[in-house]
Amino acid sequence: DLALERKLQDVLVAAAEARLVSSAHDCSHGGLAVTVAESAFQHGIGFDGSEIAAAGRRDATLFGEAASRAVVSVSPANVS
């Protein structure tokens, strides 16, 4: 869905320009679980995903490589 991808890219660019996000990473290589693990390793932090809600198959939620999904990190100062 190119329209959805465009919306995601527009939001990410606007958030970056406003200095609201510290990082953004797509989920195209290994899905959500791999993306979060890579980000955590890179920043030397941990992650507890035990409360991730999954509609449907949990493996598809965690490891699916569907387009137009991204994980962003934000500074605690930018969390409201």
PDB file of all heavy atoms in Angstrom, residues 52-77:
ATOM      1  N   ILE A  52       3.346  -7.046  24.918  1.00  0.00           N
ATOM      2  CA  ILE A  52       2.941  -6.725  23.549  1.00  0.00           C
ATOM      3  C   ILE A  52       1.644  -7.456  23.239  1.00  0.00           C
ATOM      4  O   ILE A  52       1.567  -8.685  23.367  1.00  0.00           O
ATOM      5  CB  ILE A  52       4.029  -7.121  22.533  1.00  0.00           C
ATOM      6  CG1 ILE A  52       5.266  -6.251  22.721  1.00  0.00           C
ATOM      7  CG2 ILE A  52       3.502  -7.005  21.106  1.00  0.00           C
ATOM      8  CD1 ILE A  52       6.421  -6.642  21.834  1.00  0.00           C
ATOM      9  N   ALA A  53       0.639  -6.701  22.866  1.00  0.00           N
ATOM     10  CA  ALA A  53      -0.651  -7.291  22.503  1.00  0.00           C
ATOM     11  C   ALA A  53      -0.604  -7.709  21.039  1.00  0.00           C
ATOM     12  O   ALA A  53      -0.124  -6.968  20.197  1.00  0.00           O
ATOM     13  CB  ALA A  53      -1.767  -6.280  22.730  1.00  0.00           C
ATOM     14  N   ALA A  54      -1.074  -8.894  20.768  1.00  0.00           N
ATOM     15  CA  ALA A  54      -1.067  -9.407  19.403  1.00  0.00           C
ATOM     16  C   ALA A  54      -2.485  -9.757  18.991  1.00  0.00           C
ATOM     17  O   ALA A  54      -3.128 -10.592  19.624  1.00  0.00           O
ATOM     18  CB  ALA A  54      -0.171 -10.634  19.301  1.00  0.00           C
ATOM     19  N   ALA A  55      -2.966  -9.087  17.947  1.00  0.00           N
ATOM     20  CA  ALA A  55      -4.259  -9.444  17.367  1.00  0.00           C
ATOM     21  C   ALA A  55      -3.982 -10.514  16.325  1.00  0.00           C
ATOM     22  O   ALA A  55      -3.297 -10.256  15.343  1.00  0.00           O
ATOM     23  CB  ALA A  55      -4.915  -8.227  16.751  1.00  0.00           C
ATOM     24  N   GLY A  56      -4.429 -11.706  16.561  1.00  0.00           N
ATOM     25  CA  GLY A  56      -4.137 -12.797  15.633  1.00  0.00           C
ATOM     26  C   GLY A  56      -2.915 -13.565  16.082  1.00  0.00           C
ATOM     27  O   GLY A  56      -2.638 -13.695  17.279  1.00  0.00           O
ATOM     28  N   ARG A  57      -2.167 -14.057  15.139  1.00  0.00           N
ATOM     29  CA  ARG A  57      -0.999 -14.890  15.450  1.00  0.00           C
ATOM     30  C   ARG A  57       0.128 -14.066  16.047  1.00  0.00           C
ATOM     31  O   ARG A  57       0.568 -13.082  15.475  1.00  0.00           O
ATOM     32  CB  ARG A  57      -0.523 -15.590  14.181  1.00  0.00           C
ATOM     33  CG  ARG A  57      -1.497 -16.620  13.668  1.00  0.00           C
ATOM     34  CD  ARG A  57      -1.029 -17.301  12.407  1.00  0.00           C
ATOM     35  NE  ARG A  57       0.405 -17.408  12.298  1.00  0.00           N
ATOM     36  CZ  ARG A  57       1.030 -17.588  11.136  1.00  0.00           C
ATOM     37  NH1 ARG A  57       0.351 -17.649  10.021  1.00  0.00           N
ATOM     38  NH2 ARG A  57       2.339 -17.688  11.100  1.00  0.00           N
ATOM     39  N   ARG A  58       0.631 -14.496  17.199  1.00  0.00           N
ATOM     40  CA  ARG A  58       1.716 -13.785  17.880  1.00  0.00           C
ATOM     41  C   ARG A  58       3.005 -13.816  17.046  1.00  0.00           C
ATOM     42  O   ARG A  58       3.734 -12.833  16.991  1.00  0.00           O
ATOM     43  CB  ARG A  58       1.943 -14.403  19.259  1.00  0.00           C
ATOM     44  CG  ARG A  58       2.869 -13.597  20.125  1.00  0.00           C
ATOM     45  CD  ARG A  58       2.720 -14.005  21.593  1.00  0.00           C
ATOM     46  NE  ARG A  58       3.619 -13.311  22.462  1.00  0.00           N
ATOM     47  CZ  ARG A  58       3.427 -12.089  22.940  1.00  0.00           C
ATOM     48  NH1 ARG A  58       2.344 -11.430  22.625  1.00  0.00           N
ATOM     49  NH2 ARG A  58       4.304 -11.526  23.738  1.00  0.00           N
ATOM     50  N   ASP A  59       3.280 -14.933  16.376  1.00  0.00           N
ATOM     51  CA  ASP A  59       4.489 -15.011  15.564  1.00  0.00           C
ATOM     52  C   ASP A  59       4.436 -14.027  14.398  1.00  0.00           C
ATOM     53  O   ASP A  59       5.431 -13.402  14.048  1.00  0.00           O
ATOM     54  CB  ASP A  59       4.754 -16.438  15.067  1.00  0.00           C
ATOM     55  CG  ASP A  59       3.667 -16.965  14.149  1.00  0.00           C
ATOM     56  OD1 ASP A  59       2.479 -16.646  14.361  1.00  0.00           O
ATOM     57  OD2 ASP A  59       4.002 -17.720  13.213  1.00  0.00           O
ATOM     58  N   ALA A  60       3.265 -13.844  13.824  1.00  0.00           N
ATOM     59  CA  ALA A  60       3.121 -12.879  12.725  1.00  0.00           C
ATOM     60  C   ALA A  60       3.318 -11.460  13.235  1.00  0.00           C
ATOM     61  O   ALA A  60       3.937 -10.622  12.566  1.00  0.00           O
ATOM     62  CB  ALA A  60       1.760 -13.024  12.067  1.00  0.00           C
ATOM     63  N   THR A  61       2.819 -11.165  14.440  1.00  0.00           N
ATOM     64  CA  THR A  61       3.002  -9.846  15.032  1.00  0.00           C
ATOM     65  C   THR A  61       4.473  -9.570  15.300  1.00  0.00           C
ATOM     66  O   THR A  61       4.980  -8.492  15.024  1.00  0.00           O
ATOM     67  CB  THR A  61       2.202  -9.729  16.345  1.00  0.00           C
ATOM     68  OG1 THR A  61       0.811  -9.884  16.050  1.00  0.00           O
ATOM     69  CG2 THR A  61       2.432  -8.390  17.021  1.00  0.00           C
ATOM     70  N   LEU A  62       5.177 -10.559  15.852  1.00  0.00           N
ATOM     71  CA  LEU A  62       6.563 -10.345  16.258  1.00  0.00           C
ATOM     72  C   LEU A  62       7.570 -10.458  15.114  1.00  0.00           C
ATOM     73  O   LEU A  62       8.576  -9.763  15.117  1.00  0.00           O
ATOM     74  CB  LEU A  62       6.940 -11.331  17.366  1.00  0.00           C
ATOM     75  CG  LEU A  62       6.196 -11.135  18.685  1.00  0.00           C
ATOM     76  CD1 LEU A  62       6.553 -12.241  19.661  1.00  0.00           C
ATOM     77  CD2 LEU A  62       6.503  -9.769  19.272  1.00  0.00           C
ATOM     78  N   PHE A  63       7.320 -11.358  14.165  1.00  0.00           N
ATOM     79  CA  PHE A  63       8.323 -11.616  13.125  1.00  0.00           C
ATOM     80  C   PHE A  63       7.859 -11.302  11.704  1.00  0.00           C
ATOM     81  O   PHE A  63       8.631 -11.464  10.760  1.00  0.00           O
ATOM     82  CB  PHE A  63       8.799 -13.074  13.212  1.00  0.00           C
ATOM     83  CG  PHE A  63       9.438 -13.388  14.535  1.00  0.00           C
ATOM     84  CD1 PHE A  63       8.752 -14.099  15.508  1.00  0.00           C
ATOM     85  CD2 PHE A  63      10.719 -12.935  14.824  1.00  0.00           C
ATOM     86  CE1 PHE A  63       9.331 -14.374  16.738  1.00  0.00           C
ATOM     87  CE2 PHE A  63      11.304 -13.203  16.050  1.00  0.00           C
ATOM     88  CZ  PHE A  63      10.604 -13.921  17.014  1.00  0.00           C
ATOM     89  N   GLY A  64       6.632 -10.835  11.551  1.00  0.00           N
ATOM     90  CA  GLY A  64       6.123 -10.481  10.228  1.00  0.00           C
ATOM     91  C   GLY A  64       6.894  -9.301   9.650  1.00  0.00           C
ATOM     92  O   GLY A  64       7.292  -8.389  10.372  1.00  0.00           O
ATOM     93  N   GLU A  65       7.113  -9.321   8.349  1.00  0.00           N
ATOM     94  CA  GLU A  65       7.895  -8.289   7.676  1.00  0.00           C
ATOM     95  C   GLU A  65       7.022  -7.429   6.769  1.00  0.00           C
ATOM     96  O   GLU A  65       7.469  -6.950   5.734  1.00  0.00           O
ATOM     97  CB  GLU A  65       9.038  -8.936   6.899  1.00  0.00           C
ATOM     98  CG  GLU A  65      10.012  -9.665   7.803  1.00  0.00           C
ATOM     99  CD  GLU A  65      11.138 -10.367   7.045  1.00  0.00           C
ATOM    100  OE1 GLU A  65      11.018 -10.550   5.816  1.00  0.00           O
ATOM    101  OE2 GLU A  65      12.119 -10.741   7.700  1.00  0.00           O
ATOM    102  N   ALA A  66       5.783  -7.215   7.179  1.00  0.00           N
ATOM    103  CA  ALA A  66       4.872  -6.398   6.381  1.00  0.00           C
ATOM    104  C   ALA A  66       5.421  -4.982   6.241  1.00  0.00           C
ATOM    105  O   ALA A  66       6.102  -4.476   7.132  1.00  0.00           O
ATOM    106  CB  ALA A  66       3.490  -6.372   7.033  1.00  0.00           C
ATOM    107  N   ALA A  67       5.082  -4.366   5.142  1.00  0.00           N
ATOM    108  CA  ALA A  67       5.551  -2.999   4.874  1.00  0.00           C
ATOM    109  C   ALA A  67       4.842  -1.988   5.760  1.00  0.00           C
ATOM    110  O   ALA A  67       3.848  -2.294   6.416  1.00  0.00           O
ATOM    111  CB  ALA A  67       5.312  -2.666   3.406  1.00  0.00           C
ATOM    112  N   SER A  68       5.379  -0.778   5.771  1.00  0.00           N
ATOM    113  CA  SER A  68       4.779   0.377   6.449  1.00  0.00           C
ATOM    114  C   SER A  68       4.680   0.207   7.959  1.00  0.00           C
ATOM    115  O   SER A  68       3.692   0.590   8.579  1.00  0.00           O
ATOM    116  CB  SER A  68       3.397   0.691   5.855  1.00  0.00           C
ATOM    117  OG  SER A  68       3.505   0.913   4.471  1.00  0.00           O
ATOM    118  N   ARG A  69       5.740  -0.358   8.539  1.00  0.00           N
ATOM    119  CA  ARG A  69       5.834  -0.460   9.997  1.00  0.00           C
ATOM    120  C   ARG A  69       7.218   0.010  10.400  1.00  0.00           C
ATOM    121  O   ARG A  69       8.204  -0.294   9.737  1.00  0.00           O
ATOM    122  CB  ARG A  69       5.641  -1.903  10.489  1.00  0.00           C
ATOM    123  CG  ARG A  69       4.292  -2.470  10.145  1.00  0.00           C
ATOM    124  CD  ARG A  69       3.995  -3.796  10.812  1.00  0.00           C
ATOM    125  NE  ARG A  69       5.098  -4.727  10.743  1.00  0.00           N
ATOM    126  CZ  ARG A  69       5.299  -5.704  11.630  1.00  0.00           C
ATOM    127  NH1 ARG A  69       4.487  -5.857  12.644  1.00  0.00           N
ATOM    128  NH2 ARG A  69       6.307  -6.514  11.494  1.00  0.00           N
ATOM    129  N   ALA A  70       7.278   0.759  11.494  1.00  0.00           N
ATOM    130  CA  ALA A  70       8.557   1.255  11.976  1.00  0.00           C
ATOM    131  C   ALA A  70       8.531   1.307  13.496  1.00  0.00           C
ATOM    132  O   ALA A  70       7.482   1.454  14.112  1.00  0.00           O
ATOM    133  CB  ALA A  70       8.850   2.644  11.419  1.00  0.00           C
ATOM    134  N   VAL A  71       9.707   1.178  14.080  1.00  0.00           N
ATOM    135  CA  VAL A  71       9.886   1.338  15.516  1.00  0.00           C
ATOM    136  C   VAL A  71      10.653   2.640  15.717  1.00  0.00           C
ATOM    137  O   VAL A  71      11.669   2.861  15.063  1.00  0.00           O
ATOM    138  CB  VAL A  71      10.682   0.155  16.110  1.00  0.00           C
ATOM    139  CG1 VAL A  71      11.065   0.421  17.553  1.00  0.00           C
ATOM    140  CG2 VAL A  71       9.869  -1.128  15.998  1.00  0.00           C
ATOM    141  N   VAL A  72      10.149   3.487  16.585  1.00  0.00           N
ATOM    142  CA  VAL A  72      10.837   4.738  16.877  1.00  0.00           C
ATOM    143  C   VAL A  72      11.221   4.762  18.354  1.00  0.00           C
ATOM    144  O   VAL A  72      10.562   4.158  19.188  1.00  0.00           O
ATOM    145  CB  VAL A  72       9.983   5.978  16.545  1.00  0.00           C
ATOM    146  CG1 VAL A  72       9.665   6.044  15.067  1.00  0.00           C
ATOM    147  CG2 VAL A  72       8.715   6.011  17.358  1.00  0.00           C
ATOM    148  N   SER A  73      12.309   5.454  18.643  1.00  0.00           N
ATOM    149  CA  SER A  73      12.683   5.689  20.038  1.00  0.00           C
ATOM    150  C   SER A  73      12.620   7.185  20.277  1.00  0.00           C
ATOM    151  O   SER A  73      12.877   7.978  19.373  1.00  0.00           O
ATOM    152  CB  SER A  73      14.070   5.137  20.334  1.00  0.00           C
ATOM    153  OG  SER A  73      15.057   5.780  19.561  1.00  0.00           O
ATOM    154  N   VAL A  74      12.241   7.535  21.480  1.00  0.00           N
ATOM    155  CA  VAL A  74      12.101   8.943  21.841  1.00  0.00           C
ATOM    156  C   VAL A  74      12.790   9.200  23.174  1.00  0.00           C
ATOM    157  O   VAL A  74      12.900   8.312  24.011  1.00  0.00           O
ATOM    158  CB  VAL A  74      10.626   9.383  21.936  1.00  0.00           C
ATOM    159  CG1 VAL A  74       9.925   9.239  20.604  1.00  0.00           C
ATOM    160  CG2 VAL A  74       9.885   8.598  22.987  1.00  0.00           C
ATOM    161  N   SER A  75      13.231  10.409  23.361  1.00  0.00           N
ATOM    162  CA  SER A  75      13.800  10.833  24.631  1.00  0.00           C
ATOM    163  C   SER A  75      12.677  10.901  25.649  1.00  0.00           C
ATOM    164  O   SER A  75      11.539  11.270  25.311  1.00  0.00           O
ATOM    165  CB  SER A  75      14.432  12.215  24.463  1.00  0.00           C
ATOM    166  OG  SER A  75      14.703  12.785  25.715  1.00  0.00           O
ATOM    167  N   PRO A  76      12.945  10.564  26.907  1.00  0.00           N
ATOM    168  CA  PRO A  76      11.904  10.687  27.933  1.00  0.00           C
ATOM    169  C   PRO A  76      11.291  12.095  27.975  1.00  0.00           C
ATOM    170  O   PRO A  76      10.114  12.262  28.299  1.00  0.00           O
ATOM    171  CB  PRO A  76      12.633  10.361  29.236  1.00  0.00           C
ATOM    172  CG  PRO A  76      13.748   9.457  28.800  1.00  0.00           C
ATOM    173  CD  PRO A  76      14.165   9.989  27.452  1.00  0.00           C
ATOM    174  N   ALA A  77      12.058  13.105  27.615  1.00  0.00           N
ATOM    175  CA  ALA A  77      11.539  14.479  27.606  1.00  0.00           C
ATOM    176  C   ALA A  77      10.453  14.681  26.566  1.00  0.00           C
ATOM    177  O   ALA A  77       9.650  15.609  26.675  1.00  0.00           O
ATOM    178  CB  ALA A  77      12.694  15.459  27.352  1.00  0.00           C
TER     179      ALA A  77
END
